[in-house]
Amino acid sequence: MPEKTAAQKKAQQRYMEKFSVARVRMGKEEYDHVQAHAQAMGESVNAFINRAIAETIERDTAAQQEGEEPNA
């Protein structure tokens, strides 16, 4: 693969500055399970985790608005 030009490096750096990185630790077995599920859903592990987070926040927020305890 050829070396990136200075402009390409700068563009990639600007793109990456839009993101934060959150590290998640889990056992190998659990990761394999997450990976298999994500693949079955036709998405990456990253996309699956982001979707799971978004759906959980949405569910918890709705529960709070209804006066329920999250995870109740």
Side-chain angles (χ1 to χ4, degrees):
M1 182 180 265
E3 181 71 26
K4 291 181 181 176
T5 66
Q8 288 172 321
K9 290 177 184 179
K10 188 175 179 179
Q12 183 178 18
Q13 182 179 5
R14 280 194 317 268
Y15 175 77
M16 293 305 292
E17 287 173 354
K18 298 177 185 179
F19 301 97
S20 294
V21 175
R23 296 179 71 178
V24 178
R25 295 186 196 280
M26 64 182 77
K28 173 119 174 70
E29 249 181 60
E30 186 176 2
Y31 180 79
D32 291 345
H33 185 71
V34 167
Q35 190 175 34
H37 179 79
Q39 186 175 18
M41 299 303 293
E43 58 192 352
S44 67
V45 170
N46 188 66
F48 168 70
I49 290 171
N50 281 312
R51 181 170 60 87
I53 291 168
E55 289 177 5
T56 300
I57 290 172
E58 184 178 321
R59 183 182 65 234
D60 290 351
T61 301
Q64 286 176 337
Q65 290 172 350
E66 294 174 8
E68 299 174 15
E69 284 289 318
N71 297 322

